[in-house]
mmCIF file of all heavy atoms in Angstrom:
data_model
loop_
_atom_site.group_PDB
_atom_site.id
_atom_site.type_symbol
_atom_site.label_atom_id
_atom_site.label_comp_id
_atom_site.label_asym_id
_atom_site.label_seq_id
_atom_site.Cartn_x
_atom_site.Cartn_y
_atom_site.Cartn_z
ATOM 1 N N ALA A 385 236.687 308.953 183.249
ATOM 2 C CA ALA A 385 235.967 308.792 181.994
ATOM 3 C C ALA A 385 235.683 310.169 181.416
ATOM 4 O O ALA A 385 235.608 311.156 182.138
ATOM 5 C CB ALA A 385 234.671 308.028 182.219
ATOM 6 N N GLU A 386 235.523 310.210 180.098
ATOM 7 C CA GLU A 386 235.205 311.463 179.435
ATOM 8 C C GLU A 386 233.808 311.911 179.846
ATOM 9 O O GLU A 386 232.817 311.198 179.638
ATOM 10 C CB GLU A 386 235.254 311.277 177.918
ATOM 11 C CG GLU A 386 234.873 312.490 177.117
ATOM 12 C CD GLU A 386 235.977 313.542 177.051
ATOM 13 O OE1 GLU A 386 237.099 313.268 177.504
ATOM 14 O OE2 GLU A 386 235.700 314.638 176.530
ATOM 15 N N PRO A 387 233.683 313.087 180.455
ATOM 16 C CA PRO A 387 232.349 313.547 180.849
ATOM 17 C C PRO A 387 231.522 313.933 179.631
ATOM 18 O O PRO A 387 232.054 314.404 178.626
ATOM 19 C CB PRO A 387 232.635 314.760 181.736
ATOM 20 C CG PRO A 387 233.957 315.253 181.271
ATOM 21 C CD PRO A 387 234.731 314.036 180.854
ATOM 22 N N ALA A 388 230.198 313.738 179.736
ATOM 23 C CA ALA A 388 229.307 314.084 178.632
ATOM 24 C C ALA A 388 229.035 315.583 178.587
ATOM 25 O O ALA A 388 228.620 316.108 177.559
ATOM 26 C CB ALA A 388 227.991 313.319 178.759
ATOM 27 N N GLU A 389 229.249 316.236 179.703
ATOM 28 C CA GLU A 389 229.020 317.685 179.745
ATOM 29 C C GLU A 389 229.939 318.311 180.778
ATOM 30 O O GLU A 389 230.252 317.707 181.802
ATOM 31 C CB GLU A 389 227.563 317.994 180.074
ATOM 32 C CG GLU A 389 227.091 317.413 181.393
ATOM 33 C CD GLU A 389 225.608 317.643 181.619
ATOM 34 O OE1 GLU A 389 224.806 317.212 180.767
ATOM 35 O OE2 GLU A 389 225.260 318.254 182.653
ATOM 36 N N VAL A 390 230.364 319.523 180.490
ATOM 37 C CA VAL A 390 231.260 320.269 181.378
ATOM 38 C C VAL A 390 230.818 321.730 181.366
ATOM 39 O O VAL A 390 230.453 322.263 180.305
ATOM 40 C CB VAL A 390 232.737 320.173 180.929
ATOM 41 C CG1 VAL A 390 233.636 320.929 181.905
ATOM 42 C CG2 VAL A 390 233.184 318.727 180.823
ATOM 43 N N ARG A 391 230.870 322.369 182.527
ATOM 44 C CA ARG A 391 230.548 323.806 182.586
ATOM 45 C C ARG A 391 231.756 324.566 183.108
ATOM 46 O O ARG A 391 232.279 324.256 184.185
ATOM 47 C CB ARG A 391 229.332 324.068 183.471
ATOM 48 C CG ARG A 391 228.843 325.523 183.422
ATOM 49 C CD ARG A 391 227.426 325.648 183.934
ATOM 50 N NE ARG A 391 226.920 327.032 183.913
ATOM 51 C CZ ARG A 391 226.404 327.637 182.864
ATOM 52 N NH1 ARG A 391 226.330 326.976 181.692
ATOM 53 N NH2 ARG A 391 225.953 328.878 182.916
ATOM 54 N N LEU A 392 232.203 325.537 182.338
ATOM 55 C CA LEU A 392 233.320 326.395 182.722
ATOM 56 C C LEU A 392 232.794 327.541 183.569
ATOM 57 O O LEU A 392 231.802 328.193 183.211
ATOM 58 C CB LEU A 392 234.018 326.944 181.478
ATOM 59 C CG LEU A 392 235.052 328.055 181.703
ATOM 60 C CD1 LEU A 392 236.250 327.539 182.490
ATOM 61 C CD2 LEU A 392 235.494 328.653 180.369
ATOM 62 N N ARG A 393 233.454 327.789 184.693
ATOM 63 C CA ARG A 393 233.149 328.956 185.528
ATOM 64 C C ARG A 393 234.439 329.709 185.776
ATOM 65 O O ARG A 393 235.406 329.150 186.310
ATOM 66 C CB ARG A 393 232.536 328.553 186.862
ATOM 67 C CG ARG A 393 232.340 329.744 187.825
ATOM 68 C CD ARG A 393 231.848 329.276 189.186
ATOM 69 N NE ARG A 393 231.630 330.389 190.107
ATOM 70 C CZ ARG A 393 232.530 330.861 190.972
ATOM 71 N NH1 ARG A 393 233.737 330.315 191.034
ATOM 72 N NH2 ARG A 393 232.242 331.873 191.768
ATOM 73 N N VAL A 394 234.467 330.965 185.388
ATOM 74 C CA VAL A 394 235.606 331.844 185.641
ATOM 75 C C VAL A 394 235.130 332.966 186.559
ATOM 76 O O VAL A 394 234.111 333.611 186.288
ATOM 77 C CB VAL A 394 236.177 332.437 184.347
ATOM 78 C CG1 VAL A 394 237.385 333.321 184.657
ATOM 79 C CG2 VAL A 394 236.572 331.332 183.373
ATOM 80 N N ALA A 395 235.835 333.173 187.656
ATOM 81 C CA ALA A 395 235.468 334.229 188.605
ATOM 82 C C ALA A 395 236.724 334.944 189.060
ATOM 83 O O ALA A 395 237.790 334.341 189.198
ATOM 84 C CB ALA A 395 234.734 333.648 189.808
ATOM 85 N N ALA A 396 236.583 336.239 189.309
ATOM 86 C CA ALA A 396 237.717 337.036 189.769
ATOM 87 C C ALA A 396 237.244 338.053 190.797
ATOM 88 O O ALA A 396 236.143 338.601 190.690
ATOM 89 C CB ALA A 396 238.384 337.753 188.595
ATOM 90 N N ARG A 397 238.092 338.274 191.779
ATOM 91 C CA ARG A 397 237.843 339.324 192.768
ATOM 92 C C ARG A 397 238.651 340.552 192.364
ATOM 93 O O ARG A 397 239.871 340.462 192.202
ATOM 94 C CB ARG A 397 238.251 338.865 194.169
ATOM 95 C CG ARG A 397 238.056 339.936 195.248
ATOM 96 C CD ARG A 397 238.710 339.522 196.550
ATOM 97 N NE ARG A 397 237.992 338.447 197.186
ATOM 98 C CZ ARG A 397 237.026 338.621 198.097
ATOM 99 N NH1 ARG A 397 236.688 339.841 198.467
ATOM 100 N NH2 ARG A 397 236.423 337.597 198.645
ATOM 101 N N CYS A 398 237.939 341.672 192.224
ATOM 102 C CA CYS A 398 238.567 342.889 191.732
ATOM 103 C C CYS A 398 238.233 344.063 192.646
ATOM 104 O O CYS A 398 237.151 344.109 193.239
ATOM 105 C CB CYS A 398 238.086 343.223 190.315
ATOM 106 S SG CYS A 398 238.279 341.869 189.124
#
Side-chain angles (χ1 to χ4, degrees):
E386 177 77 8
E389 58 185 57
V390 182
R391 188 162 180 83
L392 170 66
R393 174 185 181 267
V394 181
R397 178 191 289 268
C398 306

